[in-house]
Amino acid sequence: MSVWDDLVGQEKVSGQLDAAARDADALVTAVAAHTPPPEASKMTHAWLFTGPPGSGRSTAARAFAAALQCVSPDRALGGAPGCGFCDGCHTSLIGTHADVQIVRTDLLSIGVKETRDLVRRAQLSPAGGRWQVIVLEDADRLTEGAGNVLLKAVEEPAPRTVWLLCAPSLEDVLPTIRSRCRHLTLRTPPVAAVADVLVRRDGIEPHVADAVARATQGHIGRARRLATDERARSRRAAVLRLPLRVDDVGGCLKAAQELIDAASEDAKQVSEESDGKETEDMKAALGAAQGGRMPRGTAGVMKDLEDRQKRRRTRTQRDSLDLALIDLTAFYRDVLALQFGTDLALANTEMFDTLDRLARGSSPEATLRRIEAIAACRVALDRNVAPLLAVEAMTMALRAG
Ligand SMILES: [Zn+2]
């Protein structure tokens, strides 16, 4: 077992990271022993992990962080760093290592102030004597100003600082930043590999694992959620009934409204789970020194928290809607596959009869137009078009004929 086991279907990337972690370890060992550091090294200070959602960008970054912090005694005997068991590996993987900062945001953007704080932290010497690692899971969400703050830090890193940035694609990161990073591309893992992990690690029944791995087309996190969360399953089933309900204008508008309502419901649930407690915690933290009464000048802090919670609701709503559109796209891709006479890699095998009926009742050109309408809707939502308008335009374009 090693930290690379979690990287499903990414043999090439694991190989590169393993080599870098070995060289990084050799460097730390040489410095500690006051011997000259090795000359050639596959280790570097800034890395950029890209790949489609679900390919495991942040999993790869965390595994690498763990390998850099590995203190397994087996290393002295020629073993590779990244054992997965030692204190360094374990605390890095669960996010409690003192020298591993994992930054993920539930907001739409990361601003200048947060980035300055990170950069300041990155200058610190590692408490454990190895590396100061900062994992930025959503580097695509840096505002331009924040990107420029980060650029300076990536250009002149402290000797033991390592930046691990994750983003969907190279285009999502400022050119100046990405040109200073070593770039690793993750691929969508094969469906069989995802199913295998769900069975081995999560104890999911093989036939369920196979179905959810297919349904999510290799997205491990979503596959796991579908296999274990009844609500996610029924939500998805409702989305996949939509193509049968868009016969007339009334049906289209109703289907659009339901998609929007479902996304709002998700956002509401997330805020019910976290907002109240966050607000109470914040009040307690602010009031503690003042005997329970809210001290003067804290209104601004509370306002910031409210803004943050509002931004999180917006983001949750958007993500939820986007997932529905991804499922719809996979549905019409299945229809298209049947129209082209192949049923080898269908995402929705359990709906074969419905898919087959739609495939026979329309042309490949019509199916392509529908897939394009969904893609256009996703672009519109990304550009902040009013969600209901964008989704209505899409459901109207999905109509038969
Ligand atoms: Zn270890």
Side-chain angles (χ1 to χ4, degrees):
M1 198 200 131
S2 77
V3 291
W4 315 118
D5 291 353
D6 286 345
L7 271 168
V8 182
Q10 316 289 354
E11 292 74 16
K12 190 172 165 226
V13 167
S14 333
Q16 288 170 299
L17 292 175
D18 178 55
R22 285 170 196 259
D23 285 355
D25 190 47
L27 180 77
V28 171
T29 309
V31 171
H34 302 287
T35 54
E39 273 179 24
S41 175
K42 296 191 175 70
M43 182 57 189
T44 187
H45 287 280
W47 299 75
L48 174 58
F49 298 82
T50 64
S55 56
R57 301 181 295 248
S58 60
T59 308
R62 280 171 194 237
F64 188 39
L68 291 175
Q69 306 293 9
C70 182
V71 290
S72 162
D74 292 348
R75 292 172 304 124
L77 307 169
C83 68
F85 283 114
C86 74
D87 193 51
C89 281
H90 180 68
T91 53
S92 301
L93 290 174
I94 63 169
T96 58
H97 195 291
D99 296 327
V100 178
Q101 171 91 339
I102 295 170
V103 186
R104 67 189 323 178
T105 181
D106 48 20
L107 306 178
L108 289 168
S109 62
I110 303 172
V112 170
K113 186 179 166 297
E114 295 152 281
T115 310
R116 282 219 179 94
D117 292 344
L118 266 187
V119 166
R120 207 167 299 132
R121 184 186 160 122
Q123 307 298 331
L124 299 175
S125 293
R130 295 184 64 82
W131 303 91
Q132 182 69 253
V133 185
I134 293 117
V135 179
L136 195 49
E137 289 194 356
D138 307 282
D140 52 311
R141 297 214 173 96
L142 291 167
T143 62
E144 202 178 331
N148 287 325
V149 172
L150 180 64
L151 176 61
K152 291 200 191 81
V154 175
E155 273 175 337
E156 294 159 21
R160 287 293 180 85
T161 295
V162 185
W163 289 91
L164 307 180
L165 313 182
C166 308
S169 71
L170 274 181
E171 289 68 39
D172 294 314
V173 181
L174 282 179
T176 42
I177 290 184
R178 67 181 191 237
S179 67
R180 282 167 181 83
C181 294
R182 187 160 306 161
H183 177 217
L184 296 175
T185 315
L186 293 129
R187 57 173 187 151
T188 298
V191 166
V194 172
D196 182 53
V197 163
L198 293 179
V199 172
R200 261 192 304 117
R201 197 179 322 148
D202 302 295
I204 289 163
E205 291 287 324
H207 71 279
V208 176
D210 183 59
V212 295
R214 272 172 178 270
T216 55
Q217 301 283 289
H219 189 311
I220 299 174
R222 287 203 66 208
R224 183 176 290 133
R225 185 146 172 250
L226 265 190
T228 54
D229 181 350
E230 172 61 36
R231 190 164 166 271
R233 272 200 298 277
S234 66
R235 167 64 51 80
R236 182 167 181 279
V239 167
L240 296 181
R241 280 195 295 275
L242 186 142
L244 302 173
R245 302 174 46 215
V246 286
D247 293 333
D248 53 29
V249 174
C252 291
L253 298 183
K254 188 153 180 277
Q257 185 66 55
E258 283 176 17
L259 276 182
I260 298 292
D261 289 347
S264 312
E265 185 60 35
D266 282 346
K268 204 176 128 207
Q269 194 182 344
V270 168
S271 62
E272 273 167 9
E273 279 162 15
S274 353
D275 288 7
K277 186 172 182 313
E278 271 174 10
T279 307
E280 284 314 305
D281 288 352
M282 180 67 89
K283 278 185 181 161
L286 291 173
Q290 302 279 332
R293 281 180 62 188
M294 290 292 285
R296 287 157 58 103
T298 53
V301 181
M302 294 311 291
K303 177 83 176 50
D304 281 352
L305 179 64
E306 277 167 33
D307 285 350
R308 201 187 127 82
Q309 291 171 339
K310 190 161 167 250
R311 277 153 66 205
R312 182 171 59 201
R313 274 197 293 281
T314 309
R315 162 100 201 270
T316 309
Q317 194 167 354
R318 219 187 258 196
D319 286 352
S320 161
L321 195 50
D322 200 48
L323 273 190
L325 299 182
I326 289 169
D327 283 338
L328 268 185
T329 307
F331 178 93
Y332 284 108
R333 255 201 228 122
D334 283 355
V335 172
L336 192 64
L338 291 178
Q339 286 171 328
F340 285 132
T342 164
D343 59 1
L344 283 179
L346 293 185
N348 303 287
T349 33
E350 74 284 2
M351 301 183 74
F352 185 85
D353 291 345
T354 308
L355 294 167
D356 193 48
R357 187 148 41 89
L358 283 176
R360 289 170 196 277
S362 68
S363 64
E365 291 74 22
T367 308
L368 274 173
R369 267 204 311 278
R370 293 186 173 112
I371 292 172
E372 279 162 16
I374 303 170
C377 179
R378 292 181 70 192
V379 170
L381 291 171
D382 204 40
R383 292 187 184 149
N384 284 321
V385 172
L388 185 59
L389 282 184
V391 174
E392 280 177 354
M394 177 193 78
T395 54
M396 296 290 274
L398 295 179
R399 261 188 310 171

